[in-house]
Amino acid sequence: MTKFDENRIVYREVVKAGDPWMHEVKAGQYFRIVDLEGNQAVDTLFYNAADQAERYSATDTIREQGKIYLTTGSELMSNRGNKMLTIVDDTCGRHDTIGGACSAESNTVRYAIEKRHMHSCRDSFLMALGSCSCNHGKTMKKEDLSSNINFFMNVPVSPDGHLDFDDGISAPGRYVEMKADMDVLVLVSNCPQLNNPCNGYNPTPVEMIIWE
Amino acid sequence: MPEAPSYNGFVWKELIPAGAHWSGVIRRGTVLRMTDLQGGANVSMLINNLEVKNERYNMPDTLKAQKTAFLTTPNMCFSDMGRVMCSVIADTCGWHDTIGGLSNANMLQKKYGTKTYQEAHNDYFKNGHDSLINELEKWGLNESDIMPNLNWFSKVRVEDDGSMTFVENNSAAGDYVDLRFEMDCIVSLSTAQHPMDPSPEYNPKPVELSVYKAMKVEQDDPCRLHRGENERAYYNTKVFYGENPND
Ligand SMILES: [Zn+2]
Ligand SMILES: [Zn+2]
């Protein structure tokens, strides 16, 4: 178990509801996401900072651990079978990686054709890819958006194959903490979804903390 | 087993050997039938829009829209752009995996050892990940286009605690699944074994592809009617093709 030490924080920022965020976490550093007000979904993608063609793979991660939910001990695997980060602490207990990110287009399908113009995670991801200074000047595109993790989100699957979006199991102040196994770029959309219970219909801020 | 339908006419067919890879264009308005000739086949598949290649089969949107973790009739495969790529219009198998992912070189080496081209010629060990990259590159696509894929004929069950089990003998000799394409698509596939297949032998199976002309998609089509989400995605597809979306 890691000891969180205020004196070793190298970066700390509150990401407002519906905002994108991108930052590098170096190998050996710890990365904590705090669900400040509870019931928030944090859509997250990871890339090898040196070669962004290597990225988080949802299917490789769940298959290698033999379980669809993520929690303490889960090793987040890349599309090339390498360990990217390890979840070392988790006061929420379960995170989803099947449910993907919302987009303007999927909103038309899931809710109503007129919902296209609501803000979405893919818009946030694309905004970060186009404007962030920390991806080493490399251009990333829509093609680089693979299936993400939804921290603090609950998407249960039953043995008969039924899948659902359930109310979150997070609460104010709960956090998930990872240790990076390689230098990673973290791309986050603090989900702006207003149409389903993943945010309790009320997106709220989260805090990002990196320490050594 | 009842005679399989031939829809509006036969177009072509081709045998895909065990452990091989293939890609091609399947047009809107045609039906791709995959037949498991011997039982126990697995077809790992990715689908891209032929015109806008970064529009791809999207596992999360497909599952969320239909509240299912696996595919069978009358499910549709959704793209990441809120449209329908293909519809499962017939299926004698009943469960097709969407979450197990692809085999890779490391996994095969650990499970089965190595068999190189130099030793085994065309019987060398091919894995799903490398096979799909091989096909994607032919269309200007690449490793970035490897997304969570479909695994036709394979079954992965999720227990209440989230643990994943590969269910053996899900598909029998002669089982088939018919996909009606609603979009002109690049279909890339590998017949390598499912990554969770516990068989100690490298023992992939062949499949037959056959293509038919589809019947007109009516307003009361079971796939369109399945859920409101399906009809809205079909509406978006009609708009994409410049057709009246309310037809
Ligand atoms: Zn989300
Ligand atoms: Zn979202």
Side-chain angles (χ1 to χ4, degrees):
Chain A
M1 181 66 65
T2 57
K3 275 213 189 65
F4 177 66
D5 181 352
E6 295 267 344
N7 299 316
R8 295 166 75 179
I9 292 175
V10 295
Y11 178 96
R12 181 169 205 162
E13 187 180 357
V14 171
V15 179
K16 287 184 281 211
D19 274 5
W21 180 83
M22 199 174 192
H23 204 85
E24 186 168 346
V25 179
K26 298 271 186 201
Q29 289 183 333
Y30 294 90
F31 171 45
R32 179 185 285 196
I33 307 176
V34 188
D35 186 1
L36 294 171
E37 297 181 25
N39 225 343
Q40 177 60 16
V42 183
D43 294 46
T44 307
L45 286 160
F46 297 103
Y47 302 86
N48 177 339
D51 176 6
Q52 288 136 359
E54 177 162 25
R55 74 261 321 250
Y56 174 71
S57 167
T59 44
D60 287 286
T61 298
I62 62 174
R63 189 188 60 246
E64 291 310 304
Q65 69 168 7
K67 211 167 191 184
I68 63 164
Y69 309 118
L70 307 179
T71 186
T72 306
S74 295
E75 296 181 338
L76 310 182
M77 305 296 290
S78 79
N79 57 340
R80 296 184 185 157
N82 296 315
K83 219 193 318 175
M84 302 189 81
L85 305 100
T86 306
I87 299 181
V88 292
D89 197 5
D90 175 20
T91 61
C92 174
R94 180 192 276 196
H95 307 272
D96 161 70
T97 192
I98 302 271
C102 59
S103 68
E105 290 75 15
S106 74
N107 282 347
T108 70
V109 171
R110 294 196 63 212
Y111 310 112
I113 297 291
E114 312 76 65
K115 303 258 177 174
R116 173 184 302 273
H117 305 288
M118 298 178 75
H119 188 43
S120 70
C121 280
R122 189 162 68 196
D123 282 358
S124 289
F125 281 149
L126 291 172
M127 206 188 304
L129 290 182
S131 62
C132 181
S133 56
C134 57
N135 52 342
H136 301 271
K138 284 180 197 155
T139 328
M140 289 167 80
K141 304 192 195 100
K142 173 174 170 282
E143 291 89 303
D144 295 300
L145 301 178
S146 191
S147 270
N148 57 286
I149 298 177
N150 293 301
F151 285 113
F152 308 112
M153 200 164 94
N154 187 17
V155 182
V157 172
S158 62
D160 65 0
H162 187 81
L163 174 141
D164 237 322
F165 269 57
D166 272 12
D167 209 356
I169 48 172
S170 186
R174 294 215 177 154
Y175 63 85
V176 57
E177 186 174 302
M178 291 149 263
K179 185 176 187 186
D181 296 291
M182 60 169 76
D183 294 353
V184 291
L185 268 182
V186 189
L187 172 60
V188 166
S189 163
N190 190 20
C191 185
Q193 186 54 254
L194 291 168
N195 297 292
N196 83 36
C198 77
N199 290 334
Y201 306 95
N202 175 33
T204 49
V206 294
E207 186 174 29
M208 307 299 192
I209 307 172
I210 301 169
W211 77 95
E212 303 182 313
Chain B
M1 192 170 294
E3 182 88 3
S6 61
Y7 303 108
N8 228 350
F10 169 81
V11 184
W12 59 265
K13 74 174 168 185
E14 184 172 339
L15 178 85
I16 311 296
H21 47 83
W22 179 92
S23 62
V25 173
I26 306 291
R27 298 279 175 182
R28 173 167 169 80
T30 58
V31 176
L32 171 66
R33 172 173 304 149
M34 290 178 281
T35 308
D36 180 355
L37 299 171
Q38 299 174 6
N42 177 68
V43 181
S44 297
M45 180 182 286
L46 293 170
I47 311 174
N48 292 71
N49 179 335
L50 177 64
E51 289 172 83
V52 185
K53 289 184 194 155
N54 71 10
E55 176 169 8
R56 323 180 265 206
Y57 161 71
N58 187 280
M59 173 271 269
D61 286 352
T62 299
L63 305 190
K64 283 186 287 192
Q66 300 173 100
K67 297 200 168 227
T68 183
F70 68 97
L71 296 182
T72 184
T73 178
N75 290 137
M76 289 171 148
C77 294
F78 291 70
S79 79
D80 62 340
M81 292 295 284
R83 295 189 274 255
V84 180
M85 307 194 93
C86 64
S87 305
V88 184
I89 58 170
D91 178 23
T92 65
C93 178
W95 186 303
H96 303 273
D97 167 52
T98 60
I99 58 172
L102 293 170
S103 63
N104 58 50
N106 252 336
M107 185 186 295
L108 254 57
Q109 214 222 331
K110 269 189 225 146
K111 270 167 108 166
Y112 312 117
T114 36
K115 216 181 209 185
T116 64
Y117 182 79
Q118 177 165 309
E119 296 157 357
H121 289 167
N122 285 315
D123 290 329
Y124 74 103
F125 290 170
K126 292 190 273 304
N127 65 76
H129 180 262
D130 294 351
S131 292
L132 286 176
I133 288 178
N134 214 314
E135 295 301 333
L136 290 169
E137 297 270 0
K138 296 171 186 173
W139 305 91
L141 302 164
N142 60 40
E143 192 182 14
S144 300
D145 294 285
I146 300 245
M147 299 292 287
N149 58 291
L150 297 149
N151 281 310
W152 301 104
F153 302 113
S154 294
K155 178 170 183 175
V156 174
R157 191 176 57 218
V158 177
E159 313 301 338
D160 287 323
D161 67 352
S163 56
M164 300 162 74
T165 318
F166 182 84
V167 180
E168 291 183 81
N169 306 315
N170 178 55
S171 168
D175 271 342
Y176 64 88
V177 55
D178 288 355
L179 307 180
R180 182 183 66 213
F181 277 74
E182 317 290 5
M183 185 178 272
D184 288 341
C185 288
I186 300 164
V187 173
S188 305
L189 60 85
S190 153
T191 52
Q193 265 161 283
H194 190 280
M196 296 172 71
D197 186 339
S199 166
E201 304 284 308
Y202 182 76
N203 185 24
K205 301 290 169 61
V207 292
E208 185 182 78
L209 304 184
S210 35
V211 170
Y212 302 87
K213 284 193 165 59
M215 315 297 265
K216 181 174 184 289
V217 183
E218 304 288 351
Q219 281 183 339
D220 65 352
D221 179 79
C223 297
R224 286 176 68 173
L225 287 181
H226 179 47
R227 291 177 57 87
E229 287 88 339
N230 295 47
E231 179 58 25
R232 286 191 290 276
Y234 194 77
Y235 176 105
N236 288 340
T237 310
K238 301 270 277 186
V239 168
F240 178 75
Y241 282 102
E243 298 168 5
N244 182 341
N246 295 311
D247 276 354

PDB file of all heavy atoms in Angstrom, chain B residues 194-215:
ATOM      1  N   HIS B 194     -10.232 -18.175 -30.606  1.00  0.00           N
ATOM      2  CA  HIS B 194     -10.590 -17.158 -29.626  1.00  0.00           C
ATOM      3  C   HIS B 194      -9.486 -17.082 -28.568  1.00  0.00           C
ATOM      4  O   HIS B 194      -8.956 -18.117 -28.152  1.00  0.00           O
ATOM      5  CB  HIS B 194     -11.931 -17.514 -28.974  1.00  0.00           C
ATOM      6  CG  HIS B 194     -12.488 -16.419 -28.124  1.00  0.00           C
ATOM      7  ND1 HIS B 194     -12.056 -16.183 -26.836  1.00  0.00           N
ATOM      8  CD2 HIS B 194     -13.426 -15.481 -28.384  1.00  0.00           C
ATOM      9  CE1 HIS B 194     -12.722 -15.148 -26.345  1.00  0.00           C
ATOM     10  NE2 HIS B 194     -13.565 -14.700 -27.263  1.00  0.00           N
ATOM     11  N   PRO B 195      -9.153 -15.857 -28.110  1.00  0.00           N
ATOM     12  CA  PRO B 195      -8.046 -15.755 -27.147  1.00  0.00           C
ATOM     13  C   PRO B 195      -8.289 -16.503 -25.831  1.00  0.00           C
ATOM     14  O   PRO B 195      -7.339 -16.842 -25.137  1.00  0.00           O
ATOM     15  CB  PRO B 195      -7.940 -14.243 -26.901  1.00  0.00           C
ATOM     16  CG  PRO B 195      -9.218 -13.660 -27.383  1.00  0.00           C
ATOM     17  CD  PRO B 195      -9.687 -14.550 -28.491  1.00  0.00           C
ATOM     18  N   MET B 196      -9.547 -16.766 -25.486  1.00  0.00           N
ATOM     19  CA  MET B 196      -9.824 -17.481 -24.226  1.00  0.00           C
ATOM     20  C   MET B 196     -10.078 -18.968 -24.455  1.00  0.00           C
ATOM     21  O   MET B 196     -10.386 -19.693 -23.498  1.00  0.00           O
ATOM     22  CB  MET B 196     -11.027 -16.844 -23.519  1.00  0.00           C
ATOM     23  CG  MET B 196     -10.765 -15.410 -23.079  1.00  0.00           C
ATOM     24  SD  MET B 196     -12.253 -14.594 -22.458  1.00  0.00           S
ATOM     25  CE  MET B 196     -12.466 -15.465 -20.909  1.00  0.00           C
ATOM     26  N   ASP B 197      -9.963 -19.438 -25.675  1.00  0.00           N
ATOM     27  CA  ASP B 197     -10.170 -20.854 -25.972  1.00  0.00           C
ATOM     28  C   ASP B 197      -9.170 -21.688 -25.165  1.00  0.00           C
ATOM     29  O   ASP B 197      -7.958 -21.538 -25.336  1.00  0.00           O
ATOM     30  CB  ASP B 197      -9.974 -21.075 -27.477  1.00  0.00           C
ATOM     31  CG  ASP B 197     -10.310 -22.488 -27.922  1.00  0.00           C
ATOM     32  OD1 ASP B 197     -10.309 -23.409 -27.067  1.00  0.00           O
ATOM     33  OD2 ASP B 197     -10.555 -22.681 -29.121  1.00  0.00           O
ATOM     34  N   PRO B 198      -9.652 -22.563 -24.275  1.00  0.00           N
ATOM     35  CA  PRO B 198      -8.726 -23.294 -23.401  1.00  0.00           C
ATOM     36  C   PRO B 198      -8.042 -24.482 -24.083  1.00  0.00           C
ATOM     37  O   PRO B 198      -7.206 -25.146 -23.453  1.00  0.00           O
ATOM     38  CB  PRO B 198      -9.640 -23.787 -22.273  1.00  0.00           C
ATOM     39  CG  PRO B 198     -10.978 -23.926 -22.905  1.00  0.00           C
ATOM     40  CD  PRO B 198     -11.063 -22.884 -23.987  1.00  0.00           C
ATOM     41  N   SER B 199      -8.363 -24.762 -25.322  1.00  0.00           N
ATOM     42  CA  SER B 199      -7.768 -25.920 -26.006  1.00  0.00           C
ATOM     43  C   SER B 199      -6.246 -25.879 -25.936  1.00  0.00           C
ATOM     44  O   SER B 199      -5.633 -24.869 -26.252  1.00  0.00           O
ATOM     45  CB  SER B 199      -8.209 -25.945 -27.470  1.00  0.00           C
ATOM     46  OG  SER B 199      -7.387 -26.850 -28.187  1.00  0.00           O
ATOM     47  N   PRO B 200      -5.621 -26.986 -25.512  1.00  0.00           N
ATOM     48  CA  PRO B 200      -4.151 -27.001 -25.452  1.00  0.00           C
ATOM     49  C   PRO B 200      -3.509 -27.081 -26.840  1.00  0.00           C
ATOM     50  O   PRO B 200      -2.303 -26.933 -26.984  1.00  0.00           O
ATOM     51  CB  PRO B 200      -3.840 -28.256 -24.633  1.00  0.00           C
ATOM     52  CG  PRO B 200      -5.039 -29.133 -24.799  1.00  0.00           C
ATOM     53  CD  PRO B 200      -6.209 -28.245 -25.037  1.00  0.00           C
ATOM     54  N   GLU B 201      -4.314 -27.334 -27.853  1.00  0.00           N
ATOM     55  CA  GLU B 201      -3.813 -27.442 -29.226  1.00  0.00           C
ATOM     56  C   GLU B 201      -4.123 -26.171 -29.997  1.00  0.00           C
ATOM     57  O   GLU B 201      -5.206 -25.593 -29.832  1.00  0.00           O
ATOM     58  CB  GLU B 201      -4.525 -28.587 -29.969  1.00  0.00           C
ATOM     59  CG  GLU B 201      -4.420 -29.937 -29.301  1.00  0.00           C
ATOM     60  CD  GLU B 201      -3.053 -30.545 -29.496  1.00  0.00           C
ATOM     61  OE1 GLU B 201      -2.621 -30.604 -30.667  1.00  0.00           O
ATOM     62  OE2 GLU B 201      -2.417 -30.900 -28.484  1.00  0.00           O
ATOM     63  N   TYR B 202      -3.210 -25.761 -30.859  1.00  0.00           N
ATOM     64  CA  TYR B 202      -3.539 -24.723 -31.835  1.00  0.00           C
ATOM     65  C   TYR B 202      -4.396 -25.389 -32.893  1.00  0.00           C
ATOM     66  O   TYR B 202      -3.918 -26.202 -33.679  1.00  0.00           O
ATOM     67  CB  TYR B 202      -2.266 -24.137 -32.456  1.00  0.00           C
ATOM     68  CG  TYR B 202      -2.545 -23.026 -33.453  1.00  0.00           C
ATOM     69  CD1 TYR B 202      -2.895 -21.746 -33.021  1.00  0.00           C
ATOM     70  CD2 TYR B 202      -2.470 -23.255 -34.827  1.00  0.00           C
ATOM     71  CE1 TYR B 202      -3.158 -20.728 -33.929  1.00  0.00           C
ATOM     72  CE2 TYR B 202      -2.731 -22.239 -35.741  1.00  0.00           C
ATOM     73  CZ  TYR B 202      -3.078 -20.975 -35.278  1.00  0.00           C
ATOM     74  OH  TYR B 202      -3.352 -19.971 -36.190  1.00  0.00           O
ATOM     75  N   ASN B 203      -5.697 -25.101 -32.832  1.00  0.00           N
ATOM     76  CA  ASN B 203      -6.633 -25.887 -33.616  1.00  0.00           C
ATOM     77  C   ASN B 203      -7.776 -25.009 -34.136  1.00  0.00           C
ATOM     78  O   ASN B 203      -8.937 -25.228 -33.813  1.00  0.00           O
ATOM     79  CB  ASN B 203      -7.184 -26.997 -32.700  1.00  0.00           C
ATOM     80  CG  ASN B 203      -8.080 -27.945 -33.441  1.00  0.00           C
ATOM     81  OD1 ASN B 203      -7.983 -28.083 -34.653  1.00  0.00           O
ATOM     82  ND2 ASN B 203      -8.985 -28.583 -32.709  1.00  0.00           N
ATOM     83  N   PRO B 204      -7.445 -23.961 -34.906  1.00  0.00           N
ATOM     84  CA  PRO B 204      -8.503 -23.086 -35.423  1.00  0.00           C
ATOM     85  C   PRO B 204      -9.350 -23.819 -36.459  1.00  0.00           C
ATOM     86  O   PRO B 204      -8.987 -24.918 -36.891  1.00  0.00           O
ATOM     87  CB  PRO B 204      -7.727 -21.927 -36.052  1.00  0.00           C
ATOM     88  CG  PRO B 204      -6.407 -22.509 -36.417  1.00  0.00           C
ATOM     89  CD  PRO B 204      -6.120 -23.604 -35.431  1.00  0.00           C
ATOM     90  N   LYS B 205     -10.474 -23.229 -36.815  1.00  0.00           N
ATOM     91  CA  LYS B 205     -11.425 -23.893 -37.726  1.00  0.00           C
ATOM     92  C   LYS B 205     -11.715 -23.009 -38.940  1.00  0.00           C
ATOM     93  O   LYS B 205     -11.696 -21.781 -38.840  1.00  0.00           O
ATOM     94  CB  LYS B 205     -12.741 -24.172 -36.977  1.00  0.00           C
ATOM     95  CG  LYS B 205     -12.599 -25.053 -35.740  1.00  0.00           C
ATOM     96  CD  LYS B 205     -12.266 -26.481 -36.140  1.00  0.00           C
ATOM     97  CE  LYS B 205     -11.854 -27.336 -34.955  1.00  0.00           C
ATOM     98  NZ  LYS B 205     -12.870 -27.474 -33.936  1.00  0.00           N
ATOM     99  N   PRO B 206     -12.043 -23.655 -40.064  1.00  0.00           N
ATOM    100  CA  PRO B 206     -12.389 -22.872 -41.266  1.00  0.00           C
ATOM    101  C   PRO B 206     -13.830 -22.347 -41.183  1.00  0.00           C
ATOM    102  O   PRO B 206     -14.644 -22.864 -40.424  1.00  0.00           O
ATOM    103  CB  PRO B 206     -12.273 -23.912 -42.386  1.00  0.00           C
ATOM    104  CG  PRO B 206     -12.607 -25.214 -41.719  1.00  0.00           C
ATOM    105  CD  PRO B 206     -12.101 -25.096 -40.306  1.00  0.00           C
ATOM    106  N   VAL B 207     -14.116 -21.335 -41.966  1.00  0.00           N
ATOM    107  CA  VAL B 207     -15.499 -20.874 -42.129  1.00  0.00           C
ATOM    108  C   VAL B 207     -15.763 -20.637 -43.612  1.00  0.00           C
ATOM    109  O   VAL B 207     -14.827 -20.415 -44.394  1.00  0.00           O
ATOM    110  CB  VAL B 207     -15.816 -19.560 -41.370  1.00  0.00           C
ATOM    111  CG1 VAL B 207     -15.785 -19.742 -39.880  1.00  0.00           C
ATOM    112  CG2 VAL B 207     -14.914 -18.431 -41.805  1.00  0.00           C
ATOM    113  N   GLU B 208     -17.043 -20.682 -43.965  1.00  0.00           N
ATOM    114  CA  GLU B 208     -17.406 -20.340 -45.335  1.00  0.00           C
ATOM    115  C   GLU B 208     -18.102 -18.985 -45.310  1.00  0.00           C
ATOM    116  O   GLU B 208     -18.974 -18.740 -44.473  1.00  0.00           O
ATOM    117  CB  GLU B 208     -18.361 -21.392 -45.911  1.00  0.00           C
ATOM    118  CG  GLU B 208     -18.666 -21.150 -47.373  1.00  0.00           C
ATOM    119  CD  GLU B 208     -19.647 -22.188 -47.897  1.00  0.00           C
ATOM    120  OE1 GLU B 208     -20.860 -22.045 -47.617  1.00  0.00           O
ATOM    121  OE2 GLU B 208     -19.200 -23.126 -48.571  1.00  0.00           O
ATOM    122  N   LEU B 209     -17.693 -18.116 -46.229  1.00  0.00           N
ATOM    123  CA  LEU B 209     -18.394 -16.843 -46.417  1.00  0.00           C
ATOM    124  C   LEU B 209     -19.272 -16.984 -47.644  1.00  0.00           C
ATOM    125  O   LEU B 209     -18.807 -17.463 -48.680  1.00  0.00           O
ATOM    126  CB  LEU B 209     -17.411 -15.697 -46.673  1.00  0.00           C
ATOM    127  CG  LEU B 209     -16.302 -15.437 -45.660  1.00  0.00           C
ATOM    128  CD1 LEU B 209     -15.523 -14.186 -46.078  1.00  0.00           C
ATOM    129  CD2 LEU B 209     -16.860 -15.289 -44.257  1.00  0.00           C
ATOM    130  N   SER B 210     -20.532 -16.585 -47.540  1.00  0.00           N
ATOM    131  CA  SER B 210     -21.343 -16.487 -48.747  1.00  0.00           C
ATOM    132  C   SER B 210     -22.142 -15.201 -48.712  1.00  0.00           C
ATOM    133  O   SER B 210     -22.542 -14.744 -47.638  1.00  0.00           O
ATOM    134  CB  SER B 210     -22.231 -17.716 -48.952  1.00  0.00           C
ATOM    135  OG  SER B 210     -22.686 -18.227 -47.738  1.00  0.00           O
ATOM    136  N   VAL B 211     -22.309 -14.602 -49.858  1.00  0.00           N
ATOM    137  CA  VAL B 211     -22.952 -13.289 -49.947  1.00  0.00           C
ATOM    138  C   VAL B 211     -24.190 -13.391 -50.830  1.00  0.00           C
ATOM    139  O   VAL B 211     -24.162 -14.029 -51.894  1.00  0.00           O
ATOM    140  CB  VAL B 211     -21.959 -12.234 -50.477  1.00  0.00           C
ATOM    141  CG1 VAL B 211     -22.666 -10.924 -50.809  1.00  0.00           C
ATOM    142  CG2 VAL B 211     -20.861 -11.976 -49.445  1.00  0.00           C
ATOM    143  N   TYR B 212     -25.280 -12.788 -50.349  1.00  0.00           N
ATOM    144  CA  TYR B 212     -26.572 -12.777 -51.054  1.00  0.00           C
ATOM    145  C   TYR B 212     -27.032 -11.333 -51.203  1.00  0.00           C
ATOM    146  O   TYR B 212     -26.598 -10.458 -50.453  1.00  0.00           O
ATOM    147  CB  TYR B 212     -27.623 -13.568 -50.254  1.00  0.00           C
ATOM    148  CG  TYR B 212     -27.214 -14.992 -50.007  1.00  0.00           C
ATOM    149  CD1 TYR B 212     -26.430 -15.320 -48.889  1.00  0.00           C
ATOM    150  CD2 TYR B 212     -27.576 -15.998 -50.894  1.00  0.00           C
ATOM    151  CE1 TYR B 212     -26.031 -16.627 -48.666  1.00  0.00           C
ATOM    152  CE2 TYR B 212     -27.177 -17.317 -50.675  1.00  0.00           C
ATOM    153  CZ  TYR B 212     -26.404 -17.620 -49.562  1.00  0.00           C
ATOM    154  OH  TYR B 212     -26.003 -18.912 -49.351  1.00  0.00           O
ATOM    155  N   LYS B 213     -27.937 -11.127 -52.139  1.00  0.00           N
ATOM    156  CA  LYS B 213     -28.595  -9.818 -52.225  1.00  0.00           C
ATOM    157  C   LYS B 213     -29.689  -9.787 -51.160  1.00  0.00           C
ATOM    158  O   LYS B 213     -30.490 -10.723 -51.050  1.00  0.00           O
ATOM    159  CB  LYS B 213     -29.245  -9.640 -53.596  1.00  0.00           C
ATOM    160  CG  LYS B 213     -28.255  -9.332 -54.710  1.00  0.00           C
ATOM    161  CD  LYS B 213     -29.018  -8.855 -55.951  1.00  0.00           C
ATOM    162  CE  LYS B 213     -28.119  -8.185 -56.965  1.00  0.00           C
ATOM    163  NZ  LYS B 213     -27.036  -9.044 -57.449  1.00  0.00           N
ATOM    164  N   ALA B 214     -29.743  -8.705 -50.403  1.00  0.00           N
ATOM    165  CA  ALA B 214     -30.719  -8.614 -49.304  1.00  0.00           C
ATOM    166  C   ALA B 214     -32.111  -8.266 -49.840  1.00  0.00           C
ATOM    167  O   ALA B 214     -32.247  -7.671 -50.903  1.00  0.00           O
ATOM    168  CB  ALA B 214     -30.276  -7.544 -48.307  1.00  0.00           C
ATOM    169  N   MET B 215     -33.140  -8.643 -49.088  1.00  0.00           N
ATOM    170  CA  MET B 215     -34.492  -8.159 -49.348  1.00  0.00           C
ATOM    171  C   MET B 215     -34.539  -6.697 -48.905  1.00  0.00           C
ATOM    172  O   MET B 215     -33.740  -6.260 -48.089  1.00  0.00           O
ATOM    173  CB  MET B 215     -35.528  -8.951 -48.536  1.00  0.00           C
ATOM    174  CG  MET B 215     -35.344 -10.457 -48.533  1.00  0.00           C
ATOM    175  SD  MET B 215     -35.490 -11.205 -50.150  1.00  0.00           S
ATOM    176  CE  MET B 215     -37.206 -11.668 -50.092  1.00  0.00           C
TER     177      MET B 215
END
